[in-house]
Amino acid sequence: MALALARTDEASLYIDGRWVATPRAVEVRHKWTGKLLGRVGLAEREHVEAAVAAAQRAARRPLDAYRRYVILRDAARMIEEQAEAFARLIAQEGGKPLKDARAEVERGIQTLTLSAEEAKRLHGETVPLDAAPGGAGRVGVALRVPVGVVAAIAPFNFPLNLVLHKVGPALAAGNAVVLKPATATPLTAVRLCEIFERAGLPAGFLNLVVGPGDPIGDWLVESPAVRLVTFTGSPAVGRRIQARAGLKKVVLELGNNSANIVHADADLPRAAELLARKAYGSAGQFCVSVQRIYVHRDVAGRFADLMAEAAARLKVGDPEDPETDVGPLISEAEARRVEAWIEEAVAGGARVLCGGRRTGALVEPTLLAGVRPDMKVVCQEVFGPVASIVPYDDFDEAVRLVNDSPYGLQAGVFTRDLALAWKAALEIECGGVIINDTSSFRADLMPYGGVKESGVGREGPRYAVEEMTEVRMVVFNLS
Ligand code: NAP
């Protein structure tokens, strides 16, 4: 099928190494000013099919590992050269405060650099077949081979780094990718495709389709040529993907109502400062954002004062102001939902220790006390700048409260007691337990992912490469 080619200044998709025009476009607006930032092509079914077919063709003519390394390394360098432009774009299309957007770009460069390094480390192993009855005279080699076509579906909240956590390892492992970014933040993905094109990635290895998850995500997930779906987003969409993917491999990075324990022996001012930054930074719109804070009853009052003071020091407003700590939510509708959850908690007896109000898409950093476990602000993922303090009497109770959640991504524990820290590490049901820092800590090289409703599989380039490859057993009969 011949797709219409686009001029480079036109709304377009990136398919088989070409910029392709589409009949319809998605308008992307500045999340603070409302100004039109750009238009990106809206994919029709034929574009999704063409993107998958191009990826399938590319995956059948794999690149050498060293070439993959060079392309990924060069792409990382090019992002570094354009770091400020990327940060501005993330702040504009995502409403993320510039300081967080700059940090995201730094992390994205790390993610891509780590992925480049992984391209050189794809090892298999020999299998001692002669150690099995009937295996004498045979040599076994377990190879790690790419899965083939990877569908990468990404959320709005880290439009660069979370896209790179999928695209980087997928390419490093020798796969070809069809990327569907969030419809709210596709411009960063467009810029990224331009970078990979300039870095010399041959046609078909990275394809971009843009448009609503339903139906575009569904078409991708159901496509028989796609061998692995890597998804980051909400649990509801994750469940739908799992149900529709059939026998494909699926990696799901989903939500969390992140818990943190502050024990009586903790450094309270430090814990309060860190927890406030990670409850309210990026307006609480990240999967390990601090939400539930279990504080030992002896220090709960003092901690609440310290955290409310730390929250009051945060600057709320225009994401492009380099001083801003807390910007708008992704949409006013989302801010209204968060406001309604706060109101519901207050109507049920919760007290607002700070914040609590909404203006447009902005929600003030909000700290609640007197909450109950069945309130939405506690038992569901707020995905907004709202945290709650709950007192506990003994450490076992705190661990039970942390585990009383459908989610299990990461949790934070503040204590100076090594035995309690180790107990928490063993007993908390999460993909990550962070001692003396918040649930939000992430270094891009570490294995990252959840248990329970927080997902399946791990990201972090080394671990994602494992997910995105298969073992192929080769047996030589030498007898
Ligand atoms: P979302 O609504 O689930 O969307 C994520 C992506 O899925 C978007 O590209 C979306 O497209 C697409 N999608 C929607 N319906 C789909 C379908 N039926 N089939 C396939 N794809 C579909 O999530 P979000 O609001 O962007 O992000 C917030 C969520 O992501 C939170 O729950 C957060 O905790 C989670 N998250 C998790 C991690 C992690 O690593 N565990 C990291 C960041 C965020 P549209 O944009 O067109 O709707």
Side-chain angles (χ1 to χ4, degrees):
M1 177 205 32
L3 298 173
L5 291 192
R7 295 196 321 267
T8 49
D9 59 345
E10 242 176 359
S12 58
L13 302 175
Y14 188 60
I15 298 173
D16 207 9
R18 294 177 304 173
W19 294 93
V20 173
T22 59
R24 294 185 296 152
V26 176
E27 287 192 343
V28 186
R29 296 197 171 268
H30 194 297
K31 297 296 180 296
W32 180 250
T33 64
K35 196 182 98 195
L36 184 65
L37 286 174
R39 291 156 56 81
V40 183
L42 177 62
E44 309 283 339
R45 188 161 201 142
E46 59 173 351
H47 299 111
V48 176
E49 285 171 1
V52 172
Q56 203 174 19
R57 285 192 299 276
R60 287 186 181 137
R61 33 167 228 278
L63 304 174
D64 289 345
Y66 186 70
R67 184 142 176 234
R68 303 200 298 268
Y69 158 75
V70 168
I71 291 167
L72 291 163
R73 180 201 66 189
D74 289 353
R77 287 180 182 164
M78 287 176 193
I79 294 176
E80 201 163 11
E81 283 160 17
Q82 299 181 27
E84 186 60 16
F86 266 105
R88 290 261 163 208
L89 184 56
I90 292 168
Q92 291 169 353
E93 73 167 344
K96 179 176 281 192
L98 196 55
K99 58 172 87 160
D100 291 334
R102 286 178 176 147
E104 179 176 349
V105 176
E106 285 304 312
R107 287 185 51 194
I109 296 164
Q110 276 297 309
T111 304
L112 207 45
T113 305
L114 289 161
S115 300
E117 289 162 2
E118 288 307 322
K120 295 194 204 166
R121 289 195 195 123
L122 260 185
H123 290 282
E125 61 182 9
T126 55
V127 182
L129 295 178
D130 65 340
R138 286 162 173 81
V139 172
V141 184
L143 299 175
R144 277 231 158 247
V145 298
V147 292
V149 178
V150 170
I153 304 178
F156 74 83
N157 63 337
F158 283 84
L160 181 65
N161 195 31
L162 290 186
V163 166
L164 287 173
H165 265 291
K166 301 184 180 313
V167 171
L171 296 177
N175 297 296
V177 183
V178 180
L179 167 65
K180 196 210 92 60
T183 311
T185 54
L187 295 176
T188 307
V190 171
R191 292 288 95 82
L192 196 59
C193 289
E194 289 170 358
I195 293 261
F196 274 107
E197 191 178 32
R198 279 183 41 219
L201 185 69
F205 280 97
L206 177 60
N207 304 274
L208 174 74
V209 292
V210 175
D214 177 6
I216 287 168
D218 289 340
W219 294 335
L220 269 179
V221 169
E222 287 168 2
S223 168
V226 169
R227 296 312 315 146
L228 178 142
V229 180
T230 170
F231 169 78
T232 300
S234 59
V237 175
R239 261 193 297 276
R240 181 178 166 124
I241 288 174
Q242 181 78 273
R244 287 174 171 246
L247 296 179
K248 296 179 178 70
K249 283 179 110 176
V250 178
V251 177
L252 301 172
E253 300 290 343
L254 309 177
N256 201 33
N257 57 349
S258 307
N260 290 266
I261 296 175
V262 180
H263 199 50
D265 62 356
D267 177 342
L268 290 189
R270 183 173 164 276
E273 184 69 34
L274 285 171
L275 287 161
R277 291 215 157 264
K278 298 302 179 182
Y280 308 125
S282 296
Q285 296 175 114
F286 55 107
C287 46
V288 280
S289 171
V290 170
Q291 181 175 330
R292 299 178 287 150
I293 309 176
Y294 298 108
V295 187
H296 193 277
R297 199 175 297 280
D298 289 352
V299 295
R302 168 129 190 276
F303 175 81
D305 292 344
L306 287 167
M307 180 140 170
E309 284 162 22
R313 284 195 292 275
L314 298 175
K315 187 165 179 219
V316 181
D318 179 355
E320 281 202 85
D321 177 343
E323 300 300 315
T324 295
D325 299 295
V326 183
L329 276 82
I330 192 68
S331 65
E332 187 167 329
E334 272 298 287
R336 286 184 188 281
R337 175 190 59 77
V338 172
E339 181 186 36
W341 286 21
I342 297 169
E343 284 169 358
E344 184 202 80
V346 171
R351 284 172 288 121
V352 177
L353 302 183
C354 72
R357 285 173 308 219
R358 177 192 66 82
T359 317
L362 271 183
V363 175
E364 291 175 348
T366 300
L367 187 59
L368 302 174
V371 294
R372 286 195 320 267
D374 61 339
M375 289 175 174
K376 287 200 188 88
V377 289
V378 178
C379 67
Q380 296 189 30
E381 181 182 34
V382 177
F383 222 60
V386 181
S388 297
I389 293 180
V390 177
Y392 68 86
D393 292 301
D394 76 80
F395 199 80
D396 284 321
E397 181 194 356
V399 171
R400 266 197 311 280
L401 288 165
V402 170
N403 289 340
D404 181 22
S405 166
Y407 299 112
L409 189 47
Q410 290 201 152
V413 179
F414 288 85
T415 178
R416 292 188 172 103
D417 185 324
L418 193 55
L420 289 183
W422 186 238
K423 179 185 179 63
L426 294 183
E427 293 184 9
I428 286 179
E429 297 158 358
C430 277
V433 179
I434 315 293
I435 308 296
N436 283 323
D437 208 332
T438 71
S439 54
S440 315
F441 178 81
R442 180 177 185 185
D444 292 284
L445 51 69
M446 70 192 219
Y448 181 81
V451 300
K452 304 198 279 188
E453 302 238 332
S454 290
V456 183
R458 292 293 177 271
E459 287 197 336
R462 179 180 145 203
Y463 306 91
V465 162
E466 256 178 50
E467 305 276 1
M468 293 174 173
T469 49
E470 309 270 15
V471 173
R472 180 176 300 158
M473 188 62 208
V474 182
V475 178
F476 293 88
N477 184 352
L478 306 175
S479 59

